[in-house]
Amino acid sequence: QVQLVESGGGSVQAGGSLRLSCTGSGFTFSSYCLYWVRQAPGKGLEWVSLINRGGGTTYYSDSVKGRFTIARDNAKNTLYLQMNSLKPEDTARYYCAAARDPLYCLTSQYDLNSRGQGTQVTVSS
């Protein structure tokens, strides 16, 4: 059973930085593509970033490209999201998720049931 636990959120001013972490258990962490998704108040879920199994290939939504960096440490079963130059519109609850299947690795192929409780990021102007 996939279990993911996010941490590292907080409140920062615009232009600041945060580093989110996500620790996985209950599955073969290194066999799955992993995602960060977020949900702002009153809005739907938004895909943020994707990293492949080995960590060598990454993708970002246009809204965070150039500011966020996704990374993973398979030896530690941990996924990261380094967020720089934060903007008020980045305010959201951030979730990590695993792909629906080990063979899947496209931007929409995350399993919402795998996400944890999330971590809140609040950016003030």
Side-chain angles (χ1 to χ4, degrees):
Q1 180 180 353
V2 174
Q3 289 190 325
L4 296 166
V5 179
E6 303 92 342
S7 62
S11 297
V12 296
Q13 290 192 327
S17 298
L18 283 172
R19 188 194 197 201
L20 306 185
S21 298
C22 168
T23 302
S25 62
F27 67 111
T28 305
F29 188 86
S30 59
S31 294
Y32 286 77
C33 290
L34 298 171
Y35 303 76
W36 285 101
V37 297
R38 66 186 182 185
Q39 188 163 24
K43 296 188 176 180
L45 207 62
E46 177 190 10
W47 168 76
V48 173
S49 186
L50 157 66
I51 189 166
N52 73 340
R53 299 165 197 82
T57 301
T58 58
Y59 299 95
Y60 302 92
S61 66
D62 288 343
S63 60
V64 307
K65 195 175 297 181
R67 300 186 298 120
F68 290 12
T69 302
I70 190 171
R72 65 191 294 167
D73 185 337
N74 286 338
K76 296 181 179 180
N77 280 12
T78 304
L79 174 71
Y80 303 99
L81 186 68
Q82 177 67 44
M83 305 186 297
N84 298 328
S85 302
L86 283 161
K87 304 176 180 180
E89 50 265 43
D90 294 318
T91 294
R93 194 158 192 88
Y94 284 71
Y95 303 89
C96 59
R100 295 200 297 269
D101 185 278
L103 296 178
Y104 292 174
C105 205
L106 298 180
T107 58
S108 62
Q109 292 178 324
Y110 50 85
D111 180 3
L112 283 178
N113 292 325
S114 69
R115 60 180 171 160
Q117 81 290 348
T119 186
Q120 179 68 34
V121 172
T122 302
V123 185
S124 57
S125 57

